[in-house]
Amino acid sequence: MTRIIFLGPPGAGKGTQAKALAENLNIPHISTGDILRQALSEQTPLGMEAQTYMDKGELVPDRLVEAMVEERLNQSDTKSGWILDGFPRTVVQAAFLENLLQSLGHSGEKVVNLDVPDEVVIERLLQRGRKDDAEDVIRRRLQIYRSDTSPLIDYYYTRHKLVMVNGNQSLEDVTTELEEAIASAD
Ligand code: AMP
């Protein structure tokens, strides 16, 4: 049973690695960013509420993303495992997730931190060219990562769930290190 939470700054390659790993393991890849972008493109109430935050590089309010994740993890395809990408992003969300997983009976999750230096992240994001990848928005997202999300590294370290992976190497090498790290963490 594989249950993995991906941590790491924007641009660390979380999405790419999480998606590939989920395909290999045949388990759902749950990306809150993807779900929000989908809601936005469909102009649902959730999408419209989230848009103002996303455009500025701010975090969407916890209650919105928490409800999304709760609904998604309650679907039956998550029984065989899952990969969470982009959630949790705050300690409040992490505490929410801990309760949710407990109530669902989902235990043994591993937390992978994809470690990449700031300058590499900025360069990668500028090349990606997504709507929220303008330089001022990137800076804001990194600022928020540092203040709100990076405390999760300690949070999971103290809970003995953290696995560190060097994200500053070729895509293939990250994948290999990731697979080894997950296997040896069992
Ligand atoms: P991502 O694709 O993970 O980089 O997410 C894109 C944007 O969606 C972020 O900059 C946030 O505005 C929003 N978002 C995604 N996941 C979360 C989350 N767990 N909490 C709050 N906002 C989120």
Side-chain angles (χ1 to χ4, degrees), residues 10 31-34 36-37 53-54 57-60 65 85-89 93 128 130 132 141:
S31 155
T32 44
D34 282 355
L36 287 167
R37 278 184 291 276
Y53 300 96
M54 293 173 77
E58 307 283 336
L59 292 182
V60 173
V65 277
D85 163 15
F87 185 93
R89 258 185 164 88
Q93 291 177 13
R128 194 165 69 171
R130 213 168 68 186
D132 56 351
R141 283 166 54 212

Side-chain angles (χ1 to χ4, degrees), residues 154-166:
D154 259 6
Y155 180 95
Y156 286 117
Y157 177 75
T158 56
R159 284 163 174 73
H160 309 291
K161 292 185 171 163
L162 193 71
V163 179
M164 295 292 270
V165 170
N166 175 13

Side-chain angles (χ1 to χ4, degrees), residues 132-146:
D132 56 351
D133 286 341
E135 194 160 350
D136 53 335
V137 182
I138 290 175
R139 291 197 189 286
R140 183 69 190 133
R141 283 166 54 212
L142 279 174
Q143 223 172 37
I144 291 182
Y145 169 76
R146 275 186 221 111

